[in-house]
Amino acid sequence: MTRLTRYAFQKSMLCLLTAASLSACETVQTTQAGTVGVDRSQRMMVPAAEIENAARQEYGQLIAKAGQQGVLNRNPTQVERVRAVVNRLIPQAVNFRPDAVKWAWETNVLSSAEVNAWCMPGGKMAVYTGLIEKLRVTDDELAAVMGHEIAHALREHARERASQQMVANSVITVGSALLGLGELGQKGAEFAYMGLLGLPNSRAHETEADRVGIELAARAGYDPRAAITLWQKMAQAGGGEAPKFLSTHPSREDRLNDLTVYSQRVMPLYEQARSRR
């Protein structure tokens, strides 16, 4: 077999492998589009139940450890405040996916200096006291944070990333062997994947979570424009940011511009919610 013929064969095999990996993925629409119009279809290779079971186990272990360390729900006032905000957001999740009403939602506050909050697949949430105290968040800003995190769970971004990584790993590993790239070549391919596909997809996830999050907040009667002041506070707390092409988050300017546009789009929902309260 000549070098050219061998290369053509290897390339064909790699294409077949890629096609086979992609064909194993299920194309799904995890959420309805909502007013913000998030309607991108997603390709999933990892079963939803598998991700949710892993998240439930991890959350249980994390909360148990926090209890043992004495950092779980130490401040009743903070816990009551966080849960009051979240409990107004949760009912709005059905506007994006009706099955969310069946989720075993749970919210806890962890004493930590870290400015952070998250929502695992299936609705298991945590807010760190550093976010509340360092940023001095208003209830509207807290709703923006938790709406964003809930949106990640509704859109099943963790499952999507796991699926993408599963496909990428199989293609890169076998492709490197077929093309004789060796360990160094495989590492190069991995970095290329992250730069050309992995990181941009993560930025797309963040933008989707921003948009869905402000709609959840607006429908719950929280001012969606608070997302803008929230991320301005985040930027001040975080100092300098990484270059856009190396970040899993949108650039500061892009994020603020997008939030400005979409917060205005959901203002009618906010006004309607306020009139009902």
Side-chain angles (χ1 to χ4, degrees):
M1 185 181 292
T2 66
R3 180 179 298 180
L4 184 60
T5 304
R6 184 164 54 250
Y7 174 76
F9 172 75
Q10 292 168 338
K11 185 176 180 180
S12 296
M13 289 296 294
L14 185 56
C15 289
L16 287 172
L17 172 64
T18 303
S21 298
L22 291 175
S23 66
C25 293
E26 175 189 9
T27 300
V28 300
Q29 192 74 30
T30 56
T31 61
Q32 298 171 1
T35 298
V36 292
V38 173
D39 58 0
R40 178 181 62 88
S41 60
Q42 298 157 278
R43 297 181 71 85
M44 303 295 194
M45 194 170 186
V46 181
E50 185 176 316
I51 291 290
E52 290 175 11
N53 288 338
R56 186 162 49 249
Q57 293 175 14
E58 180 67 21
Y59 188 79
Q61 294 171 5
L62 188 151
I63 294 303
K65 183 176 180 180
Q68 294 169 0
Q69 295 175 337
V71 297
L72 177 65
N73 298 329
R74 290 179 57 183
N75 186 322
T77 301
Q78 289 181 337
V79 175
E80 182 180 4
R81 181 189 175 204
V82 168
R83 287 178 175 171
V85 171
V86 168
N87 287 342
R88 279 172 56 179
L89 293 171
I90 290 173
Q92 307 309 320
V94 298
N95 290 288
F96 287 94
R97 52 184 303 166
D99 67 319
V101 71
K102 300 177 182 178
W103 287 8
W105 297 90
E106 184 176 346
T107 310
N108 290 287
V109 178
L110 306 180
S111 295
S112 169
E114 187 176 350
V115 177
N116 197 15
W118 40 262
C119 179
M120 285 186 175
K124 304 296 188 182
M125 290 173 273
V127 178
Y128 293 22
T129 55
L131 183 144
I132 299 170
E133 296 165 358
K134 290 184 178 180
L135 299 188
R136 298 182 180 180
V137 290
T138 65
D139 283 359
D140 290 318
E141 290 168 343
L142 186 55
V145 174
M146 299 316 296
H148 175 97
E149 298 306 324
I150 289 171
H152 278 307
L154 295 176
R155 289 289 293 160
E156 297 189 45
H157 286 152
R159 180 185 172 204
E160 187 176 13
R161 287 196 301 273
S163 299
Q164 291 167 344
Q165 195 62 53
M166 183 177 292
V167 172
N169 285 347
S170 63
V171 171
I172 289 170
T173 300
V174 178
S176 296
L178 283 172
L179 300 176
L181 297 179
E183 184 177 354
L184 183 60
Q186 183 172 334
K187 286 295 181 185
E190 290 171 356
F191 285 128
Y193 165 78
M194 288 302 294
L196 298 175
L197 183 59
L199 296 183
N201 276 354
S202 294
R203 288 195 289 269
H205 291 173
E206 289 299 312
T207 298
E208 288 181 351
D210 279 349
R211 295 176 183 178
V212 172
I214 59 175
E215 180 167 338
L216 290 172
R219 287 183 179 277
Y222 292 106
D223 192 336
R225 295 168 295 188
I228 300 170
T229 59
L230 167 72
W231 292 111
Q232 288 171 334
K233 287 182 178 181
M234 287 280 200
Q236 293 170 357
E241 62 180 1
K244 179 177 178 180
F245 64 91
L246 291 178
S247 174
T248 59
H249 290 245
S251 73
R252 189 177 305 169
E253 182 180 2
D254 287 352
R255 170 167 254 160
L256 291 177
N257 288 341
D258 196 74
L259 287 171
T260 299
V261 171
Y262 280 86
S263 62
Q264 288 301 316
R265 183 175 295 188
V266 298
M267 280 299 290
L269 298 175
Y270 169 56
E271 297 295 345
Q272 291 170 15
R274 285 186 63 194
S275 68
R276 293 193 298 266
R277 297 192 67 81

